[in-house]
Amino acid sequence: MDAAIIGFVVAGLVVGFIVGMTGVGGGSLMTPILLWFGINPATAVGTDLLYAAITKSSGVLVHRKNDNIDWKITGWLALGSVPAAALTLLFLNSLHTDQQALNALIKQALGFVLLLTALAILFKKQLMAFASRHADDSFHLSAPTLNTLTVVTGVILGVMVTLTSIGAGALGTVALFMLYPFLPTRRLVGTEIAHAVPLTLVAGLGHAGMGSIDWQLLGYLLVGSLPGIYLGSHLTGRIPEHLLRPCLAVMLSLVGFKLAF
């Protein structure tokens, strides 16, 4: 078997396991890996989006069974992210005839998401400590305000994920914790994965319509990732939160490292 094919399968296995366990690492790891293999930026993003939609769907089944999903939060996020993804696809479609411009836009967007991710890594502990410290005082948001901010968060994630396939896990996890500091880590992970499925599916199908999908490559990734995410999802509820949160921080660090180098 060709070494590249083995590499794609192994990459799918590792990334799938990380996504299932933490909710972080899908596009953050897979897109840089595909670029490192020499895949065209637009094709890498499009293929990774459908890969994420399929693999995270299997993770949702496990998290649902273990009651790790807050469906209300998922709904508010999707209310913002799915329409934002559709509008972003319309914009990308207008650039589709100019492949050079499309690739340049994707690379610039990757750099922007890298900056946001680096900030999230740098100030993660401080942000979480602030959110936990003020969760019960006057800083606590009212229900309508919290729902609005959740929708706005979805809009931002929808644009970023459609452009780069990155953000739903790494930045989305930090945003959810800031908005919902009392949400247990296992439910935070499950909720993020449940929201990522409709978002990546809509974005991935849109990219497929523009021809930005390598179906053979997608198949290789899925061969490894489906068992990986299944195993990872089963470990989520069994790992103590004080061990899982550092794991999330490591995933965010990997985002910055992979995209920077």
Side-chain angles (χ1 to χ4, degrees):
M1 184 181 292
D2 188 271
I5 296 177
I6 296 176
F8 290 139
V9 173
V10 172
L13 177 64
V14 173
V15 173
F17 180 81
I18 292 171
V19 169
M21 186 173 63
T22 69
V24 178
S28 304
L29 295 175
M30 187 56 74
T31 301
I33 288 174
L34 294 180
L35 293 176
W36 183 77
F37 273 105
I39 304 299
N40 177 277
T43 302
V45 169
T47 302
D48 181 52
L49 283 168
L50 274 188
Y51 156 81
I54 296 171
T55 54
K56 291 193 176 188
S57 294
S58 64
V60 167
L61 297 177
V62 177
H63 283 293
R64 180 178 179 273
K65 180 180 179 181
N66 295 329
D67 193 29
N68 290 344
I69 299 174
D70 189 314
W71 292 105
K72 181 179 178 181
I73 296 175
T74 299
W76 285 115
L77 285 170
L79 184 62
S81 65
V82 173
L87 291 175
T88 305
L89 286 168
L90 288 176
F91 173 71
L92 291 178
N93 190 54
S94 68
L95 296 177
H96 188 59
T97 55
D98 189 344
Q99 194 67 35
Q100 185 175 357
L102 180 61
N103 288 333
L105 174 63
I106 290 175
K107 288 182 178 180
Q108 289 179 350
L110 283 168
F112 179 69
V113 175
L114 169 62
L115 177 61
L116 291 179
T117 304
L119 290 174
I121 295 170
L122 184 62
F123 298 107
K124 180 174 182 286
K125 287 186 178 180
Q126 294 90 329
L127 291 172
M128 288 185 170
F130 177 84
S132 297
R133 187 167 58 249
H134 294 281
D136 275 333
D137 60 19
S138 57
F139 177 76
H140 186 63
L141 301 172
S142 64
T145 301
L146 186 58
N147 292 339
T148 300
L149 289 176
T150 304
V151 173
V152 171
T153 299
V155 170
I156 296 172
L157 292 176
V159 174
M160 288 195 304
V161 170
T162 304
L163 281 175
T164 68
S165 77
I166 298 173
L171 297 174
T173 300
V174 172
L176 279 181
F177 185 84
M178 290 297 296
L179 292 173
Y180 303 93
F182 289 138
L183 192 67
T185 301
R186 62 183 181 82
R187 286 180 65 81
L188 184 149
V189 171
T191 300
E192 183 283 319
I193 291 179
H195 162 248
V197 170
L199 171 56
T200 54
L201 181 60
V202 169
L205 291 176
H207 277 273
M210 295 187 293
S212 300
I213 301 289
D214 186 327
W215 296 102
Q216 188 175 38
L217 171 60
L218 177 61
Y220 296 144
L221 296 177
L222 290 175
V223 167
S225 66
L226 290 178
I229 197 168
Y230 180 81
L231 294 174
S233 296
H234 277 289
L235 284 177
T236 300
R238 300 181 182 180
I239 299 179
E241 291 194 15
H242 70 276
L243 294 178
L244 187 53
R245 288 198 185 280
C247 188
L248 292 173
V250 170
M251 294 304 101
L252 292 174
S253 298
L254 286 174
V255 174
F257 179 81
K258 288 294 183 180
L259 291 179
F261 303 101

